[in-house]
Amino acid sequence: MKIAVIGGGIGGLSAALQLLKAGLDVHVYEQAPRITDIGAGIQISPNASRLLLRLGLKSAMDAVGMRPREMHQRRWDDGRTLQRAPLGPEVEATFGAPYYHFHRADLANLLADALPQDRLHTGCKLVGLEQKGERVIARFENRATAEADLLVGADGIHSRVRGLVFGPEKPRFTGCIAWRGLVPAERIRHLAIETASHSWVGPGGHVVHYWVSAGRMMNVVCIVEHGDWTRESWTDKGDVADVLARYEGWHPTVRGLISAFPETFIWALHDRAELPHWSAGRVTLLGDACHPMLPMMAQGAAQSIEDGAALTALLRVMPDDIAGALARYEAVRKPRATRLQQASAANRIRFHLPDGEAQHARDEAMARSSDRSIANIGWLYAHDAASTL
């Protein structure tokens, strides 16, 4: 079976590696001239890391990834702990795979390095698709073409494949804006920040930060409500002074991290209506192309890796019934992705509650039972997308 994967990000590359390991003839087409996944930090929980470990990537992942010992959530002003939960040895022992933090580019590059060179085609910007009987033909801006039995759109939130197959998208601005910064370790040694996933929640916003790139940099993401920036680009530069102004009065650690930004990038958070279907004929979607989610569950990349595993498993057992495999893929994956989209949207509200009665009730609930405890997070981390079909 010949498969064309459009998009050389984390979802597309991991899917290609899984499909290739299953004995399928896979090629990846990426519009950028080289693999340099933009953005900053990314969290890969055991439900996804177990799938990458099966590809023989443990040494490469350990070389650049960080293994946080815990998740630590604090109040915005006084730093009081609201909840802690293990992410280190206890999680690995329970779920059989580690929890990692990566720089997105580090993870994308190690996936690309694991793919045979002749399977990855850069500089291929998709401009057209045509389905002819049992074949799909992709046409690229550089006049190259690709013909396959199945085409997988793994081309992200602004998916060209989705647009060509299902028509123009209608993103909805959530009202939230985000800034991100990568802080070199030497700039923040004095803050003595432990290797953990840190989250600060406060009125109208929250901040997440953790070490990446083997501890050389701290990834920081600041999200606030009621922003007036509406562009959904990861490459628009922001102003560090604007970030500091929006976090006036927050804990000195938060402000110290922001003050140490060498630069910052700003983007608006949008959501999209649920797609009725992910597949049409011999074309299907995975990852952000079909189920984009707000970043409040840290599951966007993990779910794209799960998509690739499920699709691979189904094509392996249904090689002569692509339509049936795609129908089953959607039936298996859509409910789980939707659940996480909804959980992420709910966390946006919960993390940004104004100080008051509702916020106090939230803090007390977190103190009683951490939603990230091993008992409460098992439905997410224990899932094996390659076998629960």
Side-chain angles (χ1 to χ4, degrees):
M1 186 188 301
K2 293 183 180 295
I3 301 176
V5 175
I6 308 298
I10 290 165
L13 291 169
S14 60
L17 288 168
Q18 293 175 93
L19 291 162
L20 193 63
K21 186 178 180 182
L24 303 177
D25 184 1
V26 187
H27 288 262
V28 178
Y29 301 87
E30 163 59 36
Q31 67 176 353
R34 64 186 186 280
I35 301 299
T36 55
D37 201 338
I38 60 173
I42 194 168
Q43 303 192 47
I44 300 297
S45 46
N47 48 302
S49 68
R50 69 166 49 87
L51 303 171
L52 299 182
L53 295 179
R54 288 173 189 163
L55 296 171
L57 299 174
K58 186 177 187 300
S59 295
M61 292 166 68
D62 287 344
V64 295
M66 297 293 290
R67 294 198 192 185
R69 295 195 62 84
E70 64 182 3
M71 183 278 297
H72 191 181
Q73 196 160 55
R74 297 180 173 92
R75 267 185 59 86
W76 66 284
D77 51 358
D78 58 13
R80 176 164 55 89
T81 294
L82 301 178
Q83 61 174 331
R84 282 180 182 263
L87 291 179
E90 302 98 323
V91 162
E92 184 172 359
T94 302
F95 301 111
Y99 197 111
Y100 285 98
H101 289 154
F102 291 100
H103 189 296
R104 293 183 69 98
D106 290 340
L107 182 55
N109 281 313
L110 76 85
L111 293 172
D113 289 345
L115 195 67
Q117 274 193 326
D118 63 338
R119 300 280 173 172
L120 178 59
H121 311 275
T122 55
C124 292
K125 182 178 181 180
L126 184 72
V127 294
L129 282 178
E130 183 180 5
Q131 298 199 54
K132 285 187 173 182
E134 297 183 350
R135 307 294 281 172
V136 185
I137 302 168
R139 294 186 174 84
F140 303 99
E141 193 175 63
N142 61 5
R143 298 188 179 182
T145 61
E147 191 170 328
D149 301 296
L150 171 65
L151 184 139
V152 180
D155 48 346
I157 200 163
H158 299 295
S159 172
R160 179 67 173 157
V161 176
R162 183 186 60 221
L164 289 170
V165 175
F166 296 107
E169 64 173 353
K170 294 181 179 179
R172 300 172 298 198
F173 179 42
T174 63
C176 289
I177 62 170
W179 291 276
R180 61 180 170 87
L182 277 171
V183 184
E186 59 270 18
R187 290 191 177 209
I188 51 172
R189 296 283 186 206
H190 61 288
L191 296 178
I193 298 174
E194 62 190 313
T195 303
S197 176
H198 301 270
S199 176
W200 305 74
V201 296
H206 76 287
V207 175
V208 174
H209 59 92
Y210 47 83
W211 293 105
V212 296
S213 297
R216 295 189 300 275
M217 290 186 287
M218 177 73 72
N219 174 67
V220 187
V221 179
C222 308
I223 299 177
V224 298
E225 298 278 343
H226 312 305
D228 54 8
W229 186 269
T230 58
R231 277 174 50 85
E232 196 181 25
S233 169
W234 278 53
T235 57
D236 289 331
K237 284 199 173 184
D239 189 327
V240 176
D242 291 340
V243 194
L244 276 171
R246 290 298 294 265
Y247 286 89
E248 181 69 34
W250 284 58
H251 193 275
T253 296
V254 173
R255 291 184 58 79
L257 284 169
I258 296 170
S259 298
F261 282 4
E263 60 183 353
T264 188
F265 295 86
I266 184 172
W267 76 100
L269 298 183
H270 289 70
D271 63 11
R272 281 133 172 102
E274 183 180 343
L275 281 177
H277 299 287
W278 294 358
S279 306
R282 289 173 174 261
V283 176
T284 195
L285 304 172
L286 67 73
D288 283 349
C290 54
H291 53 69
M293 54 189 69
L294 297 176
M296 285 70 163
M297 282 293 290
Q299 280 292 307
Q303 291 308 299
S304 72
I305 295 168
E306 283 192 15
D307 288 344
L311 182 61
T312 299
L314 286 163
L315 291 172
R316 186 189 296 121
V317 299
M318 304 172 70
D320 299 321
D321 185 8
I322 288 179
L326 296 184
R328 181 64 182 154
Y329 162 66
E330 185 174 318
V332 167
R333 293 297 304 154
K334 207 164 186 281
R336 182 168 165 85
T338 300
R339 180 179 180 179
L340 281 158
Q341 287 173 309
Q342 293 169 346
S344 298
N347 274 346
R348 171 206 166 181
I349 296 170
R350 194 164 67 112
F351 292 171
H352 298 174
L353 288 173
D355 286 340
E357 186 176 341
Q359 177 263 313
H360 289 304
R362 177 205 65 193
D363 293 353
E364 290 173 3
M366 286 181 172
R368 284 195 306 270
S369 177
S370 169
D371 58 306
R372 297 299 179 95
S373 69
I374 286 178
N376 289 335
I377 207 66
W379 70 272
L380 180 57
Y381 294 171
H383 185 79
D384 189 336
S387 61
T388 52
L389 302 176

